[in-house]
Amino acid sequence: ELMMLYAISGTDAPDSLAGRRQARTAHLARVTALRDAGRLVVAGPHPAIDSTEPGTLGYTGSLIIAEFPGLDEASAWAHADPYLAAGVWSKVDVKPFIQVMP
């Protein structure tokens, strides 16, 4: 099965930190499943400030780059994320991605 990379970009709603904490375990379980299947390139949040520890300022969104069989599957996976269901992400964008480096 031909796989391609997709960039999934979740944009946080205002005051998303409490929701992030609540939905994080379920969110990470899905990302961990991608990793364990060898399909994950990178995943993580965008801190709201220039720091690895943004504290109560929280995050502005998340980036996940992973393999899926097609755009429809990547989009369906992204739109089923607990962060979207919990209102942490106000929107999620999914785009095909070509890794040039490394």
Side-chain angles (χ1 to χ4, degrees):
E1 180 176 24
L2 181 64
M3 297 288 266
M4 185 164 165
L5 292 176
Y6 294 87
I8 297 167
S9 180
T11 301
D12 274 33
D15 302 315
S16 61
L17 193 56
R20 267 186 176 268
R21 289 181 177 138
Q22 183 180 2
R24 188 169 190 260
T25 300
H27 166 77
L28 288 182
R30 299 176 81 241
V31 178
T32 299
L34 288 177
R35 182 199 67 193
D36 292 351
R39 294 169 51 193
L40 182 66
V41 174
V42 67
H46 299 290
I49 58 171
D50 189 13
S51 171
T52 58
E53 297 292 337
T56 58
L57 295 176
Y59 302 89
T60 61
S62 307
L63 175 65
I64 299 164
I65 300 177
E67 286 183 325
F68 292 91
L71 181 57
D72 289 346
E73 291 86 351
S75 184
W77 186 91
H79 284 88
D81 196 280
Y83 276 179
L84 198 59
V88 174
W89 290 345
S90 58
K91 68 173 186 164
V92 63
D93 296 308
V94 183
K95 297 179 181 180
F97 180 79
I98 298 171
Q99 183 175 358
V100 175
M101 291 186 206

